Amino acid sequence: TITQVVTGLTHACALTSVGGVKCWGHNSAGELGDGTTIDRSAPVDVSGLTSGVLSITAGGWRTCALTTAGGVKCWGLNTFGALGDGTTTNRSTPVDVVGLTGVASISAGNSHTCALTIGGGVKCWGNNAQGQLGDGTNIDSVTPTDVAAFSQGVARVAAGDYHTCVLTTTGSVRCWATDVAGVTAGVAAIDGGGVHDCLLTTTGGVKCWGSNGNGQLGDGTFTQRPTPVDVLGLTSGIRGLAAGFAHTCSVTTAGAVKCWGYNNTGQVGDGTQMDQLSPASVSGLASGVASVDAGGNHTCALTAGGGVKCWGWNVSGQLGDGTNSVRLTPVNVLGLSQAAQTITFTPPASLTIGVATPLSATASSGLTVTFDTWTPGSCSVAGNVVTALAGEICGIRASQAGGGGNAPAPQQ
């Protein structure tokens, strides 16, 4: 079962329920972490990270993981020191970020990375050409550096392509390399895109600002906005959002996905390749979605059942469906799109020879459970009824073969 999915420029990764990491897509810089630089069109395990990971983030051509011990490991492209290991050497397997402990969350931009500490402070590293590290300079840093203005009081950090924003504990938003005015309270979450940003209000609305050349602000125009504007039709009822390179997506409280903005390779997921200036419903995802993440020109969604679906550009296999074909609507990621299910079954305490006894069991998926026996000499099973044939042990097995996005259940 998958608990988180993230997207980079041309790759994607998933966190499993046991704390392992799997990645797929572009891999020339080692961003999949499997020890190679070979693109993968289906998920592969990240070397050394089959457990012990709390959360993940992906940006550009690299990936980072927050461990359960509060440390951070990164892998992939390291041109500006964005892996934080003190070098600018690309890594095809995870390396520790130097001197970083006590981390609460992480966020990767295009070529820089930031961490929020458990004390509410922010540290960043990597490319600093636009001042995105927030240390008052334009000098790249190959190890974490303190964001001078935010040693405490931060609730979330979001790294965009060449800028960074934070959500403070008072509900205000501040950014550097660019800034935003007029957001002083009432914010629940933020996310940074290519050259635009979006926020989720405490009342479930979405507002965006920044570049709008492809309609990624969702206000029905192509007009750049220096301050947040409402996304059309999304003033309430939203519980999650994601800003990609030039498109944006949201998840409604009903579990539906809506996207807008750049759509040249189907990353909006509405079955077209037309830019959308306001939210469009993603085909087949009217319910059942837990979260969404928007990458370069592709998008992935985590279903409520723990599966993953992706759509959009696929030249490097970043949709994980085993092909390199562009998909205008969601497709299942191979091996990650079946939700786990369990069976609850209490067998009869006793049987009487020749008397039919009903059987009852339920699957957590709600799908029908079937029964059979591995002791045909002592009992027979027909449908949901067992009949003892002899005074011997009768073995009854409850099964659910899977379907509808669910994996086969362990037999009981």
Side-chain angles (χ1 to χ4, degrees):
T1 303
I2 303 304
T3 60
Q4 183 188 8
V5 61
V6 298
T7 53
L9 185 62
T10 49
H11 76 291
C13 297
L15 176 66
T16 72
S17 56
V18 296
V21 184
K22 296 175 179 288
C23 297
W24 59 96
H26 186 265
N27 198 29
S28 69
E31 58 263 48
L32 303 189
D34 66 344
T36 78
T37 53
I38 301 170
D39 292 354
R40 307 289 187 178
S41 60
V44 292
D45 290 327
V46 174
S47 178
L49 293 184
T50 56
S51 63
V53 174
L54 188 62
S55 67
I56 53 177
T57 184
W61 287 354
R62 77 186 183 292
T63 315
C64 294
L66 170 62
T67 70
T68 52
V72 178
K73 295 176 180 286
C74 296
W75 56 98
L77 188 66
N78 200 22
T79 305
F80 301 98
L83 302 187
D85 67 341
T87 78
T88 54
T89 303
N90 293 351
R91 308 291 186 177
S92 62
T93 57
V95 292
D96 290 324
V97 176
V98 174
L100 202 55
T101 60
V103 175
S105 66
I106 50 177
S107 180
N110 183 61
S111 52
H112 75 293
T113 315
C114 294
L116 173 66
T117 70
I118 56 176
V122 180
K123 296 175 180 285
C124 298
W125 58 97
N127 188 3
N128 200 25
Q130 307 298 320
Q132 56 263 53
L133 302 189
D135 63 352
T137 78
N138 294 99
I139 302 171
D140 299 344
S141 180
V142 296
T143 57
T145 181
D146 291 326
V147 176
F150 295 102
S151 60
Q152 60 183 358
V154 174
R156 298 193 184 200
V157 61
D161 266 15
Y162 299 100
H163 65 286
T164 312
C165 295
V166 295
L167 170 61
T168 71
T169 52
T170 61
S172 66
V173 176
R174 292 289 307 278
C175 301
W176 53 94
T178 62
D179 203 358
V180 57
V183 185
T184 58
V187 179
I190 56 173
D191 199 31
V195 283
H196 76 292
D197 299 279
C198 295
L199 62 83
L200 175 65
T201 70
T202 52
T203 56
V206 180
K207 297 174 180 283
C208 297
W209 67 97
S211 177
N212 199 23
N214 298 101
Q216 57 263 51
L217 302 189
D219 66 345
T221 78
F222 292 112
T223 305
Q224 180 171 309
R225 307 290 187 178
T227 57
V229 292
D230 289 328
V231 174
L232 293 178
L234 299 186
T235 55
S236 63
I238 303 300
R239 59 178 171 83
L241 60 84
F245 171 69
H247 73 293
T248 315
C249 296
S250 65
V251 181
T252 72
T253 52
V257 181
K258 295 177 179 289
C259 297
W260 58 96
Y262 197 31
N263 196 27
N264 67 321
T265 56
Q267 57 265 51
V268 168
D270 65 343
T272 78
Q273 291 177 273
M274 297 173 55
D275 291 356
Q276 300 295 334
L277 309 189
S278 60
S281 296
V282 174
S283 178
L285 296 183
S287 63
V289 172
S291 66
V292 66
D293 202 47
N297 290 319
H298 69 297
T299 313
C300 292
L302 172 67
T303 70
V308 180
K309 295 176 179 286
C310 297
W311 58 98
W313 198 30
N314 198 25
V315 68
S316 300
Q318 58 262 50
L319 303 189
D321 67 342
T323 79
N324 296 101
S325 301
V326 168
R327 305 293 187 178
L328 307 186
T329 57
V331 292
N332 290 330
V333 174
L334 294 178
L336 301 186
S337 297
Q338 290 186 313
Q341 59 168 328
T342 58
I343 294 173
T344 301
F345 173 44
T346 302
S350 61
L351 299 174
T352 301
I353 295 175
V355 177
T357 302
L359 298 170
S360 178
T362 58
S364 58
S365 64
L367 297 174
T368 300
V369 175
T370 60
F371 303 94
D372 71 332
T373 179
W374 69 89
T375 56
S378 60
C379 60
S380 64
V381 173
N384 62 347
V385 172
V386 58
T387 302
L389 304 177
E392 301 172 352
I393 292 175
C394 171
I396 306 169
R397 180 166 44 213
S399 305
Q400 210 308 302
N406 296 279
Q411 294 176 328
Q412 299 293 315

